[in-house]
Amino acid sequence: MKTKIAVALAALALTGCMSAEKQAEKDNAFSRAENNLDTAQRNATVECRDEAQCNKAWALTKRYIEQNTSTSVIRADEVAIESDVPTRSGKPVYSATRIRKGSGATITLDAQCRGMYGPDRSQGGDYDDCVEKIVPTQNKFRAFLTTHLSDN
C-alpha cells in the first residue's frame, strides 16, 4: 500500500512540474508575441517630409487599410482613418493617425483584433491568429509606402 501511495504522489508531482513547464512555455510565447507586436508597431510608423508627400502617403495609407481589412473604412479625414469593428472575433481592425510636424507628418498604422485580449490585457482566445495577421501587415506597411511614393 505504501508503494502505491508513493507512486501516486510521484506521478502527481511530475504532473505539477509538467503543468508549470507548459505554463512557462505559454508565458514565454506570449511575451515573444508581444515583443513582435511592439516591433511591428514601430515598423508601421512613417515620417513624411512635406505636405505633397504626406498627402500622397495618407491616401496610400487609406488604400493599404482597405486592402488589408475585412470591413469597410468608416472614417477617413485629415487626422485619422479607421476600419469598422468586425462582427466576429479573430478579425483585425486597422486604423491610422496623421500627426503634423512642421511641414511634414508622422503616419502610424495601428491594428488590433476582436478577441485578441482578455481581462487585464491577458491573452484572449484569438490571440495567436490575430498576431499572425497583424505583425506581417504592419511590417509591410513602410515598404508599401516607400514603393508607391517612389513611383513618381
Side-chain angles (χ1 to χ4, degrees):
M1 181 70 144
K2 288 183 182 179
T3 305
K4 288 183 182 180
I5 292 173
V7 169
L9 288 173
L12 187 59
L14 285 174
T15 302
C17 289
M18 284 186 194
S19 295
E21 286 176 13
K22 285 184 181 182
Q23 185 61 45
E25 287 176 21
K26 186 177 178 181
D27 291 346
N28 287 337
F30 180 67
S31 180
R32 281 190 305 274
E34 286 291 285
N35 287 337
N36 288 341
L37 285 167
D38 288 344
T39 299
Q41 184 63 61
R42 285 189 300 275
N43 291 339
T45 300
V46 179
E47 303 285 331
C48 49
R49 69 178 174 268
D50 57 39
E51 189 171 348
Q53 184 190 46
C54 291
N55 287 341
K56 185 172 181 184
W58 194 236
L60 288 166
T61 299
K62 182 177 183 247
R63 188 166 96 192
Y64 191 78
I65 289 173
E66 290 170 336
Q67 291 173 351
N68 286 284
T69 189
S70 63
T71 61
S72 59
V73 170
I74 58 168
R75 177 183 176 190
D77 57 34
E78 290 296 313
V79 295
I81 302 168
E82 298 173 358
S83 62
D84 202 0
V85 177
T87 56
R88 296 188 335 257
S89 64
K91 302 288 184 186
V93 174
Y94 295 100
S95 61
T97 56
R98 178 180 179 176
I99 300 171
R100 294 193 183 276
K101 290 186 175 180
S103 61
T106 300
I107 296 173
T108 304
L109 177 71
D110 294 301
Q112 191 164 328
C113 260
R114 185 176 191 159
M116 186 171 179
Y117 292 104
D120 300 322
R121 199 162 165 85
S122 63
Q123 184 173 346
D126 290 317
Y127 183 83
D128 292 331
D129 288 339
C130 291
V131 170
E132 287 180 23
K133 294 169 187 168
I134 290 172
V135 168
T137 302
Q138 284 190 302
N139 281 333
K140 292 175 185 175
F141 176 64
R142 182 186 310 264
F144 175 83
L145 287 183
T146 301
T147 298
H148 289 85
L149 286 172
S150 67
D151 285 349
N152 286 341

